[in-house]
């Protein structure tokens, strides 16, 4: 005989089980999965904590809990993740947008005034989250987004269509800036390329390592910044004279990324995230006063 399962009791049991498995956001995950199983909001759960659940509701919830217990990320189970105020559809094969990456969007917007025109390139677009955020915030600009992965391009295309942004963001498939090398006078090249070193990859949480695509995470070269190196080498040819490059980096890569400065494109700023960790490197043409009148 099964005991009556209330929302409160189920959430409590799941929280304990997730916590034992080392899942950090145990309570939140339990709430998100239960809300999804019941097609309700989390708030609604709280308003009705003592409601007994029907067997089929419990069975639906248990399936989701089992998947999370196997360390499948919550965003893949729900099929969606919010990024910069927009619901982005995600699934296996495509990186789940991270809150840290919202800093990249903010830094880019801070450098492109409202009403600015021209083209932004989002390199390594994945789900399309950065391109979508920029296109929505700067309706006067066009975004061209690139990725090497067919899964990513397909997912980004589906997101663009669902959000009716298909004519504002163009997708091009290929290696880094190769698909956009015909462009000139680009206002900004932005991106969150892979940057985790092979060594660090081995230590990532199982949620990430066993479920998210390795190609989206592991960077080239021993320092993990090989993609950044190659992007910077090709950026100048397509960039406007006042254009800039903004790339996400790992918290321990500030010194290494500053060394990627080139005579034609230098690291003008490394911006920290909300935790005070280096997160976004901005490169622009060197216009220091010593150049003036030289
Ligand atoms: C860290 S994910 C970023 C995805 C998305 N912009 C975000 O912030 O959530 C990196 C993306 O780069 C893509 N990628 C990896 N190597 C690439 C390459 N050589 N050329 C183009 N894209 C590449 C991966 O497929 C993945 O979608």
């Amino acid at each position: 005989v099964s005991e009556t399962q209330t929302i409160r009791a189920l959430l409590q049991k799941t929280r304990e089980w997730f916590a034992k498995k080392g899942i950090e956001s145990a309570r939140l995950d339990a709430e998100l999965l239960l809300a999804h199983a019941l097609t309700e909001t989390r708030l609604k759960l709280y308003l009705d904590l003592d409601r007994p659940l029907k067997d089929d509701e419990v069975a639906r919830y248990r399936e989701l809990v089992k998947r999370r217990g196997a360390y499948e990320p919550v965003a893949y189970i729900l099929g969606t993740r919010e990024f910069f105020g927009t619901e982005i559809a995600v699934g296996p094969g495509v990186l789940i947008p991270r809150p840290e990456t919202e800093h990249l969007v903010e830094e880019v917007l801070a450098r492109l005034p409202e009403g600015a025109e021209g083209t932004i390139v989002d390199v390594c677009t994945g789900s399309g989250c950065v391109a979508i955020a920029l296109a929505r915030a700067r309706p006067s600009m066009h975004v061209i987004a690139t990725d090497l992965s067919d899964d990513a391009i397909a997912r980004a295309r589906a997101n663009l269509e669902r959000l009716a942004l298909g004519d504002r963001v163009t997708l091009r498939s290929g290696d880094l800036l190769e698909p956009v090398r015909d462009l000139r006078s680009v206002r900004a090249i932005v991106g969150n390329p892979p940057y985790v070193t092979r060594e660090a990859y081995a230590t990532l949480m199982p949620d990430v390592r066993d479920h998210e695509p390795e190609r989206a995470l592991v960077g080239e070269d021993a320092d993990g910044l090989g993609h950044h190196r190659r992007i910077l080498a090709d950026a100048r040819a397509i960039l406007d004279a006042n254009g800039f490059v903004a790339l996400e980096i790992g918290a321990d890569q500030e010194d290494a990324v500053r060394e990627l400065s080139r005579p034609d494109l230098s690291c003008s700023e490394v911006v920290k995230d909300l935790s005070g960790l280096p997160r976004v490197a901005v490169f622009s043409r060197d216009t220091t006063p010593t150049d003036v009148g030289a």
Side-chain angles (χ1 to χ4, degrees):
V1 187
S2 68
E3 55 185 302
T4 311
Q5 304 269 24
T6 63
I7 289 176
R8 186 193 306 274
L10 267 183
L11 287 177
Q12 178 61 16
K13 245 194 282 182
T14 314
R15 187 193 66 73
E16 283 166 18
W17 189 60
F18 282 170
K20 246 189 257 164
K21 288 182 142 286
I23 294 173
E24 281 169 12
S25 47
R27 172 78 190 193
L28 175 65
D29 289 3
E31 290 173 8
L32 288 167
L33 296 178
L34 187 54
H36 188 69
L38 303 179
T39 50
E40 282 175 2
T41 61
R42 276 173 63 218
L43 177 64
K44 188 84 192 310
L45 299 183
Y46 272 94
L47 296 176
D48 224 359
L49 278 172
D50 293 314
R51 169 156 88 82
L53 295 177
K54 300 191 198 88
D55 287 351
D56 62 320
E57 291 175 324
V58 175
R60 267 205 312 275
Y61 174 60
R62 286 236 164 92
E63 271 311 302
L64 307 182
V65 168
K66 212 161 79 188
R67 288 169 65 183
R68 183 69 188 118
Y71 298 104
E72 187 172 341
V74 170
Y76 283 167
I77 301 174
L78 305 184
T80 169
R81 166 59 54 92
E82 193 200 308
F83 182 82
F84 219 77
T86 301
E87 288 294 323
I88 303 290
V90 294
V94 180
L95 193 94
I96 299 163
R98 306 293 204 265
E100 294 85 24
T101 305
E102 295 181 341
H103 288 281
L104 175 66
V105 175
E106 278 164 7
E107 286 308 316
V108 173
L109 293 178
R111 289 168 172 77
L112 293 171
E114 275 182 44
E117 294 184 351
T119 302
I120 305 172
V121 169
D122 172 31
V123 59
C124 297
T125 197
S127 60
C129 59
V130 172
I132 287 166
L134 293 173
R136 296 191 87 166
R138 291 291 175 269
S140 49
M141 302 190 78
H142 190 77
V143 183
I144 301 186
T146 77
D147 206 289
L148 196 60
S149 145
D150 292 341
D151 282 345
I153 292 286
R155 183 67 67 175
R157 178 159 292 122
N159 272 315
L160 292 172
E161 277 166 18
R162 187 174 43 83
L163 296 165
L165 288 170
D167 58 344
R168 304 277 328 287
V169 180
T170 307
L171 292 169
R172 294 192 188 176
S173 175
D175 180 48
L176 300 182
L177 295 178
E178 169 67 26
V180 291
R181 64 181 184 161
D182 58 309
L183 300 183
R184 294 292 176 270
S185 301
V186 168
R187 297 290 304 270
I189 298 171
V190 317
N192 175 18
Y195 53 72
V196 178
T197 62
R198 181 58 57 199
E199 272 173 339
Y201 181 70
T203 69
L204 293 181
M205 297 273 291
D207 310 42
V208 179
R209 209 181 50 228
D210 299 343
H211 292 277
E212 295 194 80
E214 182 177 329
R215 188 162 69 178
L217 291 157
V218 178
E220 294 168 354
D221 298 348
D223 62 0
L225 289 173
H227 287 80
H228 301 59
R229 220 167 249 116
R230 293 202 291 122
I231 291 167
L232 290 165
D234 293 339
R236 185 61 191 86
I238 65 168
L239 211 52
D240 182 68
N242 298 312
F244 64 92
V245 180
L247 299 174
E248 181 166 325
I249 58 165
D252 56 353
Q253 290 173 325
E254 174 166 3
D255 292 345
V257 85
R258 285 192 186 277
E259 284 180 17
L260 300 187
S261 285
R262 314 159 48 86
D264 54 354
L265 205 54
S266 63
C267 182
S268 48
E269 208 178 340
V270 174
V271 184
K272 295 189 165 48
D273 63 20
L274 284 179
S275 318
L277 301 170
R279 189 58 63 193
V280 182
V282 182
F283 291 77
S284 41
R285 291 188 66 186
D286 197 356
T287 50
T288 50
T290 46
D291 284 346
V292 177

